[in-house]
Coordinates of all heavy atoms in Angstrom, one line a residue:
Chain J
K94 N 32.6 -52.7 -52.5 CA 31.2 -52.6 -52.6 C 30.5 -54.0 -52.5 O 30.6 -54.8 -53.4 CB 30.6 -51.9 -53.9 CG 29.2 -51.8 -53.9 CD 28.9 -50.9 -55.3 CE 29.0 -51.8 -56.5 NZ 28.3 -51.2 -57.7
K97 N 24.2 -56.7 -51.0 CA 23.5 -57.0 -49.8 C 23.2 -58.5 -49.5 O 22.5 -59.1 -50.3 CB 22.2 -56.2 -49.8 CG 21.4 -56.2 -48.5 CD 22.1 -55.6 -47.3 CE 22.4 -54.2 -47.4 NZ 21.4 -53.2 -47.4
G98 N 23.8 -59.0 -48.4 CA 23.4 -60.4 -48.0 C 24.1 -61.5 -48.8 O 23.9 -62.7 -48.4
R99 N 24.8 -61.2 -49.8 CA 25.5 -62.2 -50.7 C 26.9 -62.5 -50.1 O 27.8 -62.1 -50.7 CB 25.4 -61.8 -52.1 CG 24.2 -61.2 -52.7 CD 23.3 -62.4 -53.1 NE 22.3 -61.9 -53.9 CZ 21.0 -62.5 -54.2 NH1 20.8 -63.6 -53.6 NH2 20.2 -62.0 -55.0
I100 N 26.9 -63.2 -49.0 CA 28.2 -63.4 -48.3 C 29.1 -64.2 -49.3 O 30.3 -63.8 -49.4 CB 27.9 -64.3 -47.0 CG1 27.1 -63.4 -46.0 CG2 29.2 -64.7 -46.4 CD1 26.7 -64.1 -44.8
H101 N 28.6 -65.2 -50.0 CA 29.6 -66.1 -50.7 C 30.2 -65.2 -51.8 O 31.4 -65.2 -52.0 CB 28.8 -67.3 -51.2 CG 29.6 -68.2 -52.0 ND1 30.6 -69.0 -51.4 CD2 29.6 -68.5 -53.3 CE1 31.2 -69.7 -52.3 NE2 30.7 -69.4 -53.5
F133 N 23.4 -52.1 -43.8 CA 22.0 -51.9 -43.3 C 21.3 -53.4 -43.4 O 21.0 -53.7 -44.5 CB 21.2 -51.0 -44.0 CG 21.6 -49.5 -43.5 CD1 22.5 -48.8 -44.5 CD2 21.3 -49.0 -42.4 CE1 23.0 -47.5 -44.1 CE2 21.8 -47.7 -42.0 CZ 22.6 -47.0 -42.9
L134 N 21.1 -54.2 -42.4 CA 20.5 -55.4 -42.4 C 19.2 -55.5 -41.6 O 18.4 -56.4 -41.7 CB 21.5 -56.5 -41.8 CG 22.7 -56.8 -42.6 CD1 23.4 -58.0 -42.0 CD2 22.5 -56.9 -44.1
Q135 N 19.0 -54.5 -40.7 CA 17.9 -54.5 -39.7 C 17.9 -56.0 -39.0 O 19.0 -56.4 -38.6 CB 16.5 -54.2 -40.4 CG 16.6 -52.8 -41.0 CD 15.2 -52.4 -41.6 OE1 14.5 -53.3 -42.3 NE2 14.8 -51.2 -41.4
G136 N 16.8 -56.6 -39.1 CA 16.6 -57.9 -38.4 C 17.4 -59.0 -39.0 O 17.5 -60.1 -38.5
G137 N 17.7 -58.7 -40.3 CA 18.3 -59.8 -41.1 C 19.7 -60.1 -40.5 O 20.4 -61.1 -41.0
E140 N 20.0 -63.6 -39.5 CA 20.1 -64.5 -40.5 C 21.5 -64.6 -41.1 O 22.0 -65.7 -41.6 CB 19.2 -64.3 -41.7 CG 17.7 -64.5 -41.4 CD 16.8 -64.0 -42.6 OE1 16.8 -64.7 -43.5 OE2 16.1 -63.0 -42.3
L141 N 22.3 -63.6 -41.0 CA 23.5 -63.5 -41.8 C 24.8 -63.4 -41.0 O 25.9 -63.5 -41.6 CB 23.4 -62.2 -42.9 CG 22.3 -62.3 -43.9 CD1 22.3 -61.1 -44.6 CD2 22.6 -63.5 -44.7
R211 N 19.4 -51.6 -31.8 CA 18.1 -52.4 -31.8 C 18.4 -53.8 -32.2 O 17.7 -54.7 -31.8 CB 17.1 -51.7 -32.8 CG 15.9 -52.6 -33.0 CD 14.8 -51.9 -33.7 NE 13.6 -52.9 -33.6 CZ 12.4 -52.6 -33.9 NH1 12.1 -51.4 -34.2 NH2 11.4 -53.5 -33.8
F265 N 25.8 -32.5 -48.3 CA 26.3 -32.2 -49.6 C 26.6 -30.7 -50.0 O 26.6 -30.3 -51.1 CB 25.4 -32.7 -50.7 CG 25.4 -34.3 -50.9 CD1 25.0 -35.1 -49.8 CD2 26.0 -34.9 -51.9 CE1 25.0 -36.5 -49.8 CE2 26.2 -36.2 -51.9 CZ 25.7 -37.1 -51.0
G267 N 29.4 -29.0 -49.4 CA 30.9 -28.7 -49.8 C 31.4 -29.6 -50.9 O 30.5 -30.4 -51.5
R268 N 32.6 -29.5 -51.1 CA 33.2 -30.3 -52.2 C 33.2 -31.8 -52.1 O 32.9 -32.6 -53.0 CB 34.7 -29.9 -52.3 CG 35.5 -30.5 -53.6 CD 37.0 -30.7 -53.2 NE 37.1 -31.7 -52.2 CZ 37.2 -33.0 -52.3 NH1 36.8 -33.6 -53.4 NH2 37.4 -33.8 -51.2
G298 N 29.1 -48.1 -52.2 CA 27.8 -48.7 -52.6 C 26.6 -48.1 -52.2 O 26.6 -47.5 -51.0
S299 N 25.5 -48.2 -53.0 CA 24.2 -47.6 -52.6 C 23.4 -48.7 -52.0 O 23.2 -49.7 -52.5 CB 23.5 -47.1 -53.9 OG 22.2 -46.6 -53.5
E300 N 23.1 -48.5 -50.6 CA 22.3 -49.4 -50.0 C 20.9 -48.9 -49.8 O 20.5 -48.1 -49.0 CB 22.8 -49.7 -48.5 CG 24.2 -50.5 -48.7 CD 24.5 -51.2 -47.4 OE1 23.7 -51.4 -46.5 OE2 25.7 -51.6 -47.2
A301 N 20.0 -49.1 -50.9 CA 18.7 -48.6 -51.0 C 18.7 -47.0 -50.8 O 17.9 -46.5 -50.1 CB 17.8 -49.4 -50.0
G302 N 19.6 -46.4 -51.5 CA 19.6 -45.0 -51.6 C 20.6 -44.4 -50.5 O 20.9 -43.2 -50.6
L304 N 24.0 -43.8 -49.6 CA 25.2 -43.9 -50.5 C 26.5 -44.0 -49.6 O 26.8 -43.0 -48.9 CB 25.3 -42.8 -51.5 CG 24.4 -42.7 -52.7 CD1 24.3 -41.4 -53.2 CD2 24.9 -43.7 -53.7
F325 N 32.9 -42.9 -53.1 CA 31.8 -43.6 -53.7 C 32.1 -44.8 -54.5 O 31.4 -45.7 -54.8 CB 30.9 -42.6 -54.5 CG 30.3 -41.6 -53.7 CD1 30.6 -40.3 -54.0 CD2 29.3 -41.8 -52.7 CE1 30.0 -39.2 -53.3 CE2 28.8 -40.9 -51.8 CZ 29.1 -39.6 -52.3
E326 N 33.4 -44.9 -55.2 CA 33.7 -45.9 -56.0 C 34.6 -46.9 -55.4 O 35.4 -46.5 -54.5 CB 34.3 -45.4 -57.3 CG 35.6 -44.6 -57.2 CD 36.0 -44.0 -58.5 OE1 36.6 -44.8 -59.4 OE2 35.6 -42.9 -58.7
Chain A
D54 N 21.8 -24.6 -49.3 CA 22.8 -24.7 -50.4 C 23.4 -26.0 -50.6 O 23.6 -26.7 -49.5 CB 23.8 -23.5 -50.0 CG 23.5 -22.2 -50.1 OD1 22.3 -22.0 -50.8 OD2 24.3 -21.3 -49.7
L55 N 23.7 -26.4 -51.7 CA 24.4 -27.7 -52.0 C 25.4 -27.4 -53.1 O 25.3 -26.4 -53.8 CB 23.3 -28.6 -52.6 CG 22.2 -29.1 -51.8 CD1 21.2 -30.0 -52.6 CD2 22.7 -30.0 -50.6
D56 N 26.3 -28.3 -53.0 CA 27.5 -28.4 -54.1 C 26.8 -29.2 -55.2 O 26.8 -30.4 -55.1 CB 28.7 -28.9 -53.5 CG 29.8 -29.0 -54.5 OD1 29.9 -29.8 -55.4 OD2 30.6 -28.0 -54.5
L59 N 28.7 -32.2 -56.8 CA 28.8 -33.3 -56.0 C 27.5 -34.2 -56.0 O 27.4 -35.3 -56.0 CB 29.3 -32.9 -54.6 CG 29.2 -34.0 -53.5 CD1 30.4 -35.0 -53.9 CD2 29.5 -33.4 -52.1
V60 N 26.4 -33.3 -55.8 CA 25.1 -33.9 -55.8 C 24.7 -34.7 -57.1 O 24.3 -35.7 -57.1 CB 24.0 -32.8 -55.5 CG1 22.6 -33.4 -55.7 CG2 24.1 -32.2 -54.1
S62 N 26.8 -35.9 -59.2 CA 27.6 -37.2 -59.3 C 27.0 -38.3 -58.4 O 26.9 -39.4 -58.8 CB 29.1 -36.7 -58.9 OG 29.8 -37.8 -58.5
A63 N 26.6 -37.9 -57.2 CA 26.1 -38.9 -56.3 C 24.8 -39.4 -56.8 O 24.5 -40.7 -56.7 CB 25.9 -38.3 -54.8
L64 N 23.9 -38.6 -57.4 CA 22.7 -39.1 -57.8 C 22.8 -39.9 -59.1 O 22.1 -40.9 -59.3 CB 21.7 -37.9 -58.0 CG 21.3 -37.0 -56.9 CD1 20.3 -35.9 -57.2 CD2 20.7 -37.9 -55.7
R66 N 25.3 -41.9 -59.6 CA 25.8 -43.1 -59.0 C 24.6 -43.9 -58.4 O 24.5 -45.2 -58.6 CB 26.9 -43.0 -58.0 CG 27.6 -44.1 -57.5 CD 28.7 -43.8 -56.7 NE 29.8 -43.3 -57.5 CZ 30.7 -44.0 -58.2 NH1 30.5 -45.4 -58.2 NH2 31.6 -43.5 -58.9
F67 N 23.7 -43.2 -57.7 CA 22.5 -43.8 -57.2 C 21.7 -44.4 -58.2 O 21.3 -45.6 -58.1 CB 21.8 -42.8 -56.3 CG 20.3 -43.0 -56.2 CD1 20.1 -43.9 -55.0 CD2 19.3 -42.6 -56.9 CE1 18.7 -44.2 -54.9 CE2 18.0 -43.0 -56.8 CZ 17.7 -43.8 -55.6
E70 N 23.6 -47.6 -59.7 CA 23.8 -48.7 -58.8 C 22.4 -49.3 -58.3 O 22.2 -50.7 -58.2 CB 24.5 -48.4 -57.5 CG 25.9 -48.0 -57.9 CD 26.9 -47.9 -56.6 OE1 26.5 -48.3 -55.5 OE2 28.1 -47.5 -56.8
E71 N 21.3 -48.5 -58.1 CA 20.0 -49.1 -57.7 C 19.4 -49.8 -58.9 O 18.8 -50.9 -58.8 CB 19.1 -47.9 -57.3 CG 19.5 -47.2 -55.9 CD 19.5 -48.3 -54.8 OE1 18.5 -49.2 -54.8 OE2 20.3 -48.3 -54.0
E311 N 6.8 -54.3 -39.3 CA 6.5 -53.7 -37.8 C 7.5 -54.6 -36.9 O 8.3 -54.1 -36.1 CB 5.1 -54.0 -37.5 CG 4.1 -53.3 -38.4 CD 4.0 -51.7 -38.1 OE1 4.7 -51.3 -37.1 OE2 3.5 -51.1 -38.9
F312 N 7.2 -55.9 -37.0 CA 8.2 -56.8 -36.3 C 9.2 -57.4 -37.1 O 10.3 -57.4 -36.8 CB 7.4 -57.9 -35.6 CG 6.6 -57.6 -34.5 CD1 5.3 -57.1 -34.7 CD2 7.0 -57.7 -33.2 CE1 4.5 -56.7 -33.6 CE2 6.2 -57.3 -32.1 CZ 4.9 -56.7 -32.4
Y313 N 8.8 -57.9 -38.3 CA 9.7 -58.5 -39.3 C 10.4 -57.4 -40.1 O 9.6 -56.7 -41.0 CB 9.1 -59.5 -40.1 CG 9.9 -60.1 -41.2 CD1 10.8 -61.0 -40.9 CD2 9.8 -59.8 -42.5 CE1 11.7 -61.6 -41.9 CE2 10.5 -60.3 -43.6 CZ 11.5 -61.3 -43.2 OH 12.3 -61.8 -44.2
L314 N 11.6 -56.9 -39.7 CA 12.2 -55.8 -40.4 C 13.4 -56.2 -41.3 O 14.3 -56.7 -40.9 CB 12.7 -54.8 -39.4 CG 11.6 -54.3 -38.4 CD1 12.3 -53.6 -37.3 CD2 10.6 -53.4 -39.0
R315 N 13.3 -55.9 -42.6 CA 14.3 -56.2 -43.5 C 14.4 -54.9 -44.5 O 13.4 -54.4 -44.9 CB 14.1 -57.4 -44.5 CG 14.0 -58.7 -43.6 CD 15.3 -59.1 -43.0 NE 15.3 -60.3 -42.3 CZ 14.9 -60.5 -41.1 NH1 14.6 -59.5 -40.3 NH2 14.9 -61.7 -40.5
P316 N 15.6 -54.4 -44.8 CA 15.7 -53.4 -45.7 C 15.3 -53.9 -47.2 O 15.2 -55.0 -47.5 CB 17.2 -53.0 -45.7 CG 17.9 -54.2 -45.1 CD 16.9 -54.8 -44.3
L317 N 14.9 -52.9 -48.0 CA 14.3 -53.4 -49.3 C 15.3 -54.0 -50.3 O 14.9 -54.7 -51.1 CB 13.6 -52.1 -50.0 CG 14.5 -51.0 -50.6 CD1 14.9 -51.3 -52.0 CD2 13.5 -49.8 -50.6
D318 N 16.5 -53.8 -49.9 CA 17.5 -54.5 -50.8 C 18.1 -55.8 -50.1 O 19.1 -56.4 -50.5 CB 18.8 -53.5 -51.1 CG 19.4 -53.0 -49.9 OD1 18.9 -53.2 -48.7 OD2 20.6 -52.4 -49.9
F319 N 17.5 -56.3 -49.2 CA 17.9 -57.5 -48.4 C 17.8 -58.6 -49.3 O 16.9 -58.9 -50.1 CB 17.1 -57.7 -47.2 CG 17.7 -58.8 -46.3 CD1 18.6 -58.5 -45.5 CD2 17.0 -60.0 -46.3 CE1 19.2 -59.5 -44.6 CE2 17.5 -61.0 -45.4 CZ 18.7 -60.7 -44.6
H320 N 18.9 -59.4 -49.2 CA 19.0 -60.9 -49.9 C 19.7 -61.8 -49.0 O 20.3 -61.4 -47.9 CB 19.9 -60.8 -51.2 CG 19.4 -60.0 -52.2 ND1 18.3 -60.4 -53.1 CD2 19.6 -58.7 -52.6 CE1 18.1 -59.4 -53.9 NE2 18.9 -58.4 -53.8
T321 N 19.6 -63.0 -49.2 CA 20.5 -64.1 -48.6 C 21.0 -64.9 -49.9 O 20.7 -64.7 -50.9 CB 19.7 -65.0 -47.7 OG1 18.9 -65.8 -48.4 CG2 19.0 -64.3 -46.6
D322 N 22.1 -65.6 -49.4 CA 22.8 -66.4 -50.4 C 21.8 -67.5 -51.0 O 22.0 -67.9 -52.1 CB 24.1 -67.0 -49.9 CG 25.2 -66.2 -50.0 OD1 25.3 -65.3 -51.0 OD2 26.2 -66.3 -49.1
D323 N 20.8 -68.0 -50.2 CA 20.0 -69.0 -50.8 C 19.2 -68.7 -51.9 O 18.7 -67.7 -52.1 CB 19.0 -69.4 -49.6 CG 19.8 -69.7 -48.3 OD1 20.8 -70.2 -48.4 OD2 19.3 -69.4 -47.1

Side-chain angles (χ1 to χ4, degrees):
Chain J
K94 178 175 75 170
K97 183 66 61 73
R99 310 283 199 198
I100 296 173
H101 185 67
F133 287 103
L134 299 186
Q135 298 182 326
E140 292 173 68
L141 296 177
R211 175 163 185 169
F265 280 74
R268 184 209 62 79
S299 177
E300 295 198 14
L304 289 160
F325 299 118
E326 62 185 276
Chain A
D54 286 353
L55 293 173
D56 183 275
L59 176 66
V60 171
S62 158
L64 298 182
R66 185 168 294 277
F67 161 80
E70 293 195 8
E71 291 296 323
E311 302 286 352
F312 288 84
Y313 178 74
L314 301 172
R315 297 293 183 275
L317 70 84
D318 58 346
F319 188 76
H320 295 279
T321 66
D322 274 328
D323 302 329

